[in-house]
Amino acid sequence: MADPDIVLSADHDKSNYYYPAVVPIAVGRPVEAFANAFVFSTSNVITHNAIQALQQQGFPLGLAQEMGNTRASHPIRFWIVDNSGSMRSSDGHEVRGSNKQSLMVVPCTRWKELQGAIEYHAELAGLIGANTIFRMLNDPGATVGPQEFTVASDADSTSSIEQDVAQAVRIIQQAEPEGGTPLTEHLTVIRERIRAMAPTLQSQGQKAVVVLATDGLPSDETGRSNERVTSEFIDALRSLQRLPVWIVVRLCTDESSV
């Protein structure tokens, strides 16, 4: 008996696509058109090859299939990547090993931990075609690459996605942590982008994802942290609550005060 949770469409190669049996909702990449309008594709398709790759990583079949719907409900994702100097501290954690028996957690720098996370999520975004924007707090320098880079902005182009992932991995591997922690500045930029696309997201029952990957509270342009700077950061976070946003705070530290 066929799996009742899987519906195949004659419009595509049946051997290569899964269609979760849910009412499809809009998904895809925002592109500027006319006056600040955003258009999203309507496909929640995830390829058979992608599902197999996810299963090899340990995803159960149902969860792997659900990744298509996750991409559909959250069609754009923003990562704020903390590459400030304090990320050199050594209270990070890195998982090593190739199977359950050999897995171990070893200490590393906060930056090393975050590098691994960004590499994985860049590859995951490419695998499922999820439009993801990575924005570093500090410019890594012209020899490393741009401060902001995107994976899967063109979800219909396999070659383009492969290039996106390769660039993302190269930049994050070569970047070095230095500088301050201007979280509020970058959060404000992303908030205004989401505000521009909010009507489209809200009309389709979707949300943007904002992942704040940091090791501490923000600093100002001089690198100093104080009560005013912290208050401005909290206000910026609260302002996102009025928008269709799902926020994830990923702390890269063991400091209880943070």
Side-chain angles (χ1 to χ4, degrees):
M1 179 180 295
D3 189 334
D5 292 331
I6 303 300
V7 178
L8 292 174
S9 168
D11 295 334
H12 297 271
D13 177 2
K14 294 182 180 181
S15 66
N16 202 36
Y17 290 92
Y18 277 104
Y19 292 77
V22 297
V23 177
I25 55 180
V27 63
R29 62 189 188 279
V31 292
E32 290 197 16
F34 310 116
N36 247 347
F38 290 87
V39 178
F40 299 94
S41 76
T42 57
S43 173
N44 64 349
V45 174
I46 182 168
T47 69
H48 180 65
N49 290 339
I51 288 180
Q52 286 187 321
L54 290 170
Q55 286 185 286
Q56 290 173 0
Q57 295 179 21
F59 282 69
L61 176 60
L63 184 58
Q65 294 167 359
E66 184 61 23
M67 294 300 288
N69 288 328
T70 300
R71 184 191 62 192
S73 59
H74 301 85
I76 187 164
R77 299 120 191 267
F78 297 91
W79 277 71
I80 298 179
V81 181
D82 187 345
N83 62 334
S84 63
S86 59
M87 292 293 288
R88 296 178 182 272
S89 298
S90 299
D91 59 343
H93 306 282
E94 183 179 24
V95 178
R96 293 182 183 175
S98 57
N99 54 58
K100 293 181 180 179
Q101 288 71 36
S102 64
L103 286 179
M104 64 177 66
V105 179
V106 298
C108 63
T109 64
R110 299 170 183 176
W111 180 240
K112 181 68 173 177
E113 176 185 325
L114 185 53
Q115 281 179 310
I118 299 302
E119 287 179 32
Y120 175 78
H121 282 279
E123 292 170 354
L124 179 63
L127 185 63
I128 67 175
N131 186 6
T132 306
I133 298 168
F134 298 92
R135 184 180 178 90
M136 288 191 281
L137 293 185
N138 299 291
D139 190 341
T143 58
V144 174
Q147 188 171 352
E148 181 178 293
F149 45 94
T150 305
V151 172
S153 61
D154 185 358
D156 296 328
S157 172
T158 301
S159 60
S160 175
I161 290 178
E162 291 175 350
Q163 293 172 6
D164 290 347
V165 173
Q167 175 185 247
V169 171
R170 178 183 57 79
I171 291 173
I172 203 65
Q173 286 180 344
Q174 295 182 5
E176 294 291 339
E178 59 184 350
T181 314
L183 288 170
T184 304
E185 172 189 336
H186 292 277
L187 198 61
T188 300
V189 170
I190 290 174
R191 180 192 64 197
E192 294 310 305
R193 291 187 187 179
I194 296 174
R195 193 191 303 278
M197 64 182 70
T200 301
L201 292 169
Q202 290 169 330
S203 69
Q204 298 172 153
Q206 298 171 300
K207 291 185 178 181
V209 175
V210 176
V211 181
L212 191 59
T214 181
D215 69 345
L217 295 176
S219 62
D220 60 16
E221 61 277 3
T222 66
R224 293 179 297 183
S225 297
N226 52 48
E227 186 175 344
R228 176 186 61 81
V229 174
T230 300
S231 178
E232 290 175 350
F233 171 64
I234 292 173
D235 289 342
L237 273 178
R238 285 176 174 163
S239 69
L240 284 173
Q241 294 179 340
R242 296 187 290 271
L243 298 172
V245 175
W246 181 41
I247 303 174
V248 177
V249 177
R250 190 192 189 287
L251 291 178
C252 306
T253 179
D254 283 342
E255 292 184 12
S256 58
S257 60
V258 176

